[in-house]
Amino acid sequence: MNAGEIYRDVESFQLSVKKLSNGINSASTLWNDKKFLELSASVRTIALMSKSVILSGEHCCSSLRRFEAIAEERY
Amino acid sequence: MVTVTTEALQAVKTALADFRTDVGRISWQARSRAQDIEEKCILTVSEARKDVQQAEEEIRNLEQKIKELDSRIHQIRKDVETTREGIAAKKRKVEELDSRIHALNRQAASLRRALSNAEDDKEKNGITSDIDQMERETRYCESEKASLMARIRDEENQMHTLEQELRNCNARREECQNELNRQKNRYEKLKDKLHRLQNVFSNLQSELREYIDAAKKFEITAENTAEKDKNAVERCIAYIDTYMSISL
């Protein structure tokens, strides 16, 4: 059991969303019309939705760290 | 007006395809990670519960040991008291015997003086017989006294042994009591640790379920959106390719 594992999952997920946003943004100089704005909006929706995954993942990490700290107590 | 290049569309298509590959297994990964975490947490909670049970067992054993020592201490104290009373009674008896011996010696000395002044044989025989009887009684008293003194020594030794055992039992009891206090304190801490682990685990289980649900929802929506966008981009590329292939 390691909070680091789930933390890395969340981090890698965050990176994927960021990579998509960067990929789309990098095309903005060569694609500048209404369609691109639609695509950007759609990617923004994905990015917004990713927040609930990241937040719930972070909650799990924090609880897991607390759990691990208690489990480490020796008496 | 449309302003786009195939290069831009290609970059977007690649970004969308990469994203689909990256997040395609996110809900499966979240589920598998949650399952792994849950199994390990269950094991940890069960080990913590085992520690609490072991501490309970340790406390029961120590309490039983203290009970046995208390009973032994009580018995030794009773034995010491009985032995002490026995010794005192024997010492009193020895004092009585000493007085009796002293009185007999005095009487015998007086009779010996009377014997030296006696005039006829009958009187002498009578006094001699009395002296013999007194000497027999004195010997009997001395032998009784010696026997009592030997018993007093034995009982005093026995009392020393009992007192030593009492000191050992008291020391062992004190050790057990200290260990019991330590174990009770440890038990409270272990019980508290178990409760805290159970509470945090219960919260964690809900959070893991929320994480899986969020990942599942995200995967479905993101995949559909990315797929739709990718298809649209692919169609745009195809249109441009067609446009570019037409010679005017």
Side-chain angles (χ1 to χ4, degrees), chain A residues 1-2 5-6 9-10 12-13 15-17 19-20 23-24 26-27 30-36 38-39 42-43 45-47 49-54 56-64 66-68 70-75, chain B residues 1-5 7-9 11-12 15-16 18-19 22-23 26 29-30 33 36-37 40-42 44-45 186 189-190 193 196-198 200-201 203-204 207-208 210-212 214-215 217-218 221-222 225-226 228-229 233 236:
Chain A
M1 183 173 50
N2 191 341
E5 288 172 354
I6 199 159
D9 287 349
V10 172
S12 141
F13 170 72
L15 196 71
S16 302
V17 177
K19 228 170 75 186
L20 173 69
I24 303 300
S26 70
L30 302 169
W31 187 2
N32 189 11
D33 62 11
K34 204 177 128 204
K35 293 276 174 213
F36 181 76
E38 281 172 27
L39 179 70
S42 152
V43 170
T45 310
I46 290 177
M49 274 188 65
S50 74
K51 274 189 182 168
S52 66
V53 180
I54 294 162
S56 55
E58 279 172 355
H59 287 157
C60 293
C61 276
S62 142
S63 290
L64 195 51
R66 216 159 47 241
F67 186 89
E68 285 171 342
I70 299 170
E72 281 300 307
E73 291 173 11
R74 293 283 172 267
Y75 299 109
Chain B
M1 185 185 160
V2 176
T3 313
V4 67
T5 65
E7 194 190 342
L9 289 169
V12 168
L16 287 166
D18 286 350
F19 179 69
D22 287 347
V23 302
I26 182 182
Q29 196 181 19
R33 189 72 76 203
D36 187 38
I37 287 169
K40 286 172 181 166
C41 286
I42 287 170
T44 305
V45 170
R186 181 171 170 263
K189 285 181 176 162
L190 287 172
K193 176 182 169 179
R196 283 182 291 129
L197 278 178
Q198 283 170 327
V200 176
F201 180 45
N203 287 341
L204 179 61
E207 286 164 358
L208 284 170
E210 279 171 27
Y211 176 55
I212 294 169
K217 272 185 207 152
F218 178 83
T221 316
T225 310
K228 186 172 69 69
D229 289 344
V233 169
C236 291

Side-chain angles (χ1 to χ4, degrees), chain B residues 55-118:
Chain B
E56 274 173 346
E57 181 72 20
E58 188 72 27
I59 287 170
R60 270 199 299 276
N61 288 343
L62 283 164
E63 280 172 345
Q64 178 59 30
K65 215 180 267 182
I66 287 173
K67 210 171 139 188
E68 284 166 14
L69 281 166
D70 279 345
S71 152
R72 181 66 194 136
I73 286 167
H74 179 72
Q75 185 57 47
I76 295 171
R77 281 185 180 145
K78 253 171 72 181
D79 290 351
V80 165
E81 200 42 49
T82 310
T83 311
R84 188 175 284 130
E85 281 167 8
I87 290 170
K90 284 178 190 75
K91 280 184 175 168
R92 278 196 302 275
K93 184 82 182 150
V94 166
E95 278 171 18
E96 282 168 24
L97 285 168
D98 273 339
S99 300
R100 181 71 187 138
I101 291 165
H102 187 66
L104 285 168
N105 285 339
R106 237 183 18 239
Q107 282 174 22
S110 163
L111 283 173
R112 276 189 205 97
R113 275 195 303 277
L115 182 63
S116 63
N117 295 328

Side-chain angles (χ1 to χ4, degrees), chain B:
Chain B
M1 185 185 160
V2 176
T3 313
V4 67
T5 65
T6 316
E7 194 190 342
L9 289 169
Q10 202 62 52
V12 168
K13 185 185 155 190
T14 307
L16 287 166
D18 286 350
F19 179 69
R20 278 199 64 205
T21 314
D22 287 347
V23 302
R25 281 159 60 86
I26 182 182
S27 71
W28 175 86
Q29 196 181 19
R31 215 172 22 252
S32 145
R33 189 72 76 203
Q35 198 179 347
D36 187 38
I37 287 169
E38 218 167 333
E39 279 168 11
K40 286 172 181 166
C41 286
I42 287 170
L43 202 69
T44 305
V45 170
S46 133
E47 276 166 9
R49 193 176 292 116
K50 217 188 294 169
D51 287 344
V52 170
Q53 283 163 353
Q54 274 173 356
E56 274 173 346
E57 181 72 20
E58 188 72 27
I59 287 170
R60 270 199 299 276
N61 288 343
L62 283 164
E63 280 172 345
Q64 178 59 30
K65 215 180 267 182
I66 287 173
K67 210 171 139 188
E68 284 166 14
L69 281 166
D70 279 345
S71 152
R72 181 66 194 136
I73 286 167
H74 179 72
Q75 185 57 47
I76 295 171
R77 281 185 180 145
K78 253 171 72 181
D79 290 351
V80 165
E81 200 42 49
T82 310
T83 311
R84 188 175 284 130
E85 281 167 8
I87 290 170
K90 284 178 190 75
K91 280 184 175 168
R92 278 196 302 275
K93 184 82 182 150
V94 166
E95 278 171 18
E96 282 168 24
L97 285 168
D98 273 339
S99 300
R100 181 71 187 138
I101 291 165
H102 187 66
L104 285 168
N105 285 339
R106 237 183 18 239
Q107 282 174 22
S110 163
L111 283 173
R112 276 189 205 97
R113 275 195 303 277
L115 182 63
S116 63
N117 295 328
E119 288 175 356
D120 59 52
D121 284 349
K122 192 182 169 194
E123 192 185 358
K124 277 183 185 174
N125 285 342
I127 293 170
T128 307
S129 164
D130 285 349
I131 290 171
D132 286 347
Q133 198 189 329
M134 273 171 200
E135 282 175 347
R136 271 199 305 277
E137 196 180 341
T138 303
R139 278 196 301 278
Y140 170 79
C141 286
E142 276 169 350
S143 148
E144 192 70 1
K145 181 188 162 186
S147 156
L148 280 170
M149 294 294 279
R151 280 164 65 191
I152 287 170
R153 274 195 302 278
D154 283 351
E155 287 179 15
E156 276 174 345
N157 286 339
Q158 193 188 332
M159 203 163 79
H160 289 146
T161 309
L162 284 170
E163 280 169 345
Q164 184 56 47
E165 194 187 347
L166 184 62
R167 277 193 292 276
N168 291 343
C169 284
N170 277 329
R172 279 215 307 278
R173 195 203 182 281
E174 199 183 331
E175 276 170 27
C176 285
Q177 186 62 56
N178 289 342
E179 181 59 13
L180 178 65
N181 293 344
R182 200 183 71 80
Q183 286 296 340
K184 277 184 174 172
N185 188 273
R186 181 171 170 263
Y187 169 69
E188 289 305 321
K189 285 181 176 162
L190 287 172
K191 222 165 58 169
D192 177 60
K193 176 182 169 179
L194 176 63
H195 286 318
R196 283 182 291 129
L197 278 178
Q198 283 170 327
N199 286 341
V200 176
F201 180 45
S202 166
N203 287 341
L204 179 61
Q205 278 180 309
S206 313
E207 286 164 358
L208 284 170
R209 274 194 297 275
E210 279 171 27
Y211 176 55
I212 294 169
D213 286 349
K216 210 185 294 175
K217 272 185 207 152
F218 178 83
E219 188 180 286
I220 293 165
T221 316
E223 251 196 83
N224 289 343
T225 310
E227 180 65 13
K228 186 172 69 69
D229 289 344
K230 192 177 131 264
N231 289 342
V233 169
E234 271 172 353
R235 278 202 304 279
C236 291
I237 294 170
Y239 289 142
I240 291 171
D241 286 346
T242 310
Y243 172 75
M244 296 299 281
S245 66
I246 295 167
S247 97
L248 298 170

